[in-house]
Amino acid sequence: YREMLATLNHVSRKSWAEGIAKDLPILLIAGGADPVGNYGAGVRTVWAMLGDAGVQDLTCQIYEGARQDVFDYVLTWIEDHI
């Protein structure tokens, strides 16, 4: 859990968002019932930071009622963006 918490802390910093390539497609995906992403609120905060930093191709998908069972969406997103 230490690595996961360190990563969450790292990506929650404005300086991290500002360092991301502006033309890099980014997908943020989370379950609205998952406490790791603060029930979607933490993920939405990171999404807003990235948008404020000028990231151009930014997708945020919160699946209400889901926890970590949302990863089927990832394959479709990758196929659409790569």
Side-chain angles (χ1 to χ4, degrees):
Y1 290 104
R2 177 178 279 167
E3 283 296 318
M4 179 183 65
L5 294 175
T7 300
L8 289 173
N9 186 44
H10 180 71
V11 302
S12 297
R13 294 183 180 150
K14 186 178 178 181
S15 60
W16 173 81
E18 291 171 346
I20 296 295
K22 307 308 176 220
D23 60 347
L24 179 69
I26 295 180
L27 168 66
L28 300 172
I29 184 170
D34 193 343
V36 174
N38 194 21
Y39 304 98
V43 177
R44 287 182 183 100
T45 298
V46 171
W47 175 74
M49 275 194 318
L50 289 166
D52 291 345
V55 175
Q56 299 165 7
D57 188 357
L58 186 56
T59 303
C60 181
Q61 182 68 46
I62 307 295
Y63 291 92
E64 298 305 326
R67 290 185 62 135
Q68 297 172 354
D69 51 348
V70 298
F71 295 105
D72 290 338
Y73 180 75
V74 174
L75 180 58
T76 301
W77 186 90
I78 289 172
E79 290 170 346
D80 289 346
H81 287 82
I82 295 180

